[in-house]
Amino acid sequence: DERDKEGKKMSPEVTRNKQYRIHFYSREEDRMHVHVEHNDGREVKVWMEPEIEVAKKAPFKAHEINVILKLCRENENEIKAFWRKRKKS
């Protein structure tokens, strides 16, 4: 697992379920977003503000994107709290 010079994880995990892992990369842009990675390695960036939406075309079918966006909405408070905590440190 990748760590920065202070020993913090560079892609800390927010949450996961049977198919998807929600995480972010510590050294990325300041606009709030997460990466959602499928068990098979496919990944998509999802903006959390101002609206929850896919950042760009993703290697997922429409119904999979709907599941991913639903997962982000269901975990919105946890994601935002985690993001703010990590960005402050």
Side-chain angles (χ1 to χ4, degrees), residues 4-33:
D4 66 13
K5 62 185 177 185
E6 286 104 33
K8 293 179 186 171
K9 282 186 177 181
M10 290 176 58
S11 71
E13 182 175 290
V14 179
T15 190
R16 73 168 48 234
N17 68 14
K18 291 180 183 178
Q19 284 188 303
Y20 298 100
R21 173 174 101 97
I22 298 177
H23 65 100
F24 67 93
Y25 297 104
S26 298
R27 296 181 179 172
E28 278 199 320
E29 62 199 279
D30 289 333
R31 182 175 174 191
M32 188 179 292
H33 68 281

Side-chain angles (χ1 to χ4, degrees), residues 7 10 12 17 20 25-26 29 32-33 39-40 44-47 54-55 59 62 66 68 73 76-77 79 81 84 89:
M10 290 176 58
N17 68 14
Y20 298 100
Y25 297 104
S26 298
E29 62 199 279
M32 188 179 292
H33 68 281
N39 288 340
D40 66 11
V44 64
K45 180 190 265 186
V46 177
W47 298 122
V54 172
N66 289 336
I68 288 167
R73 282 191 292 275
E76 181 176 5
N77 292 336
I79 291 167
R84 290 182 182 113
S89 59

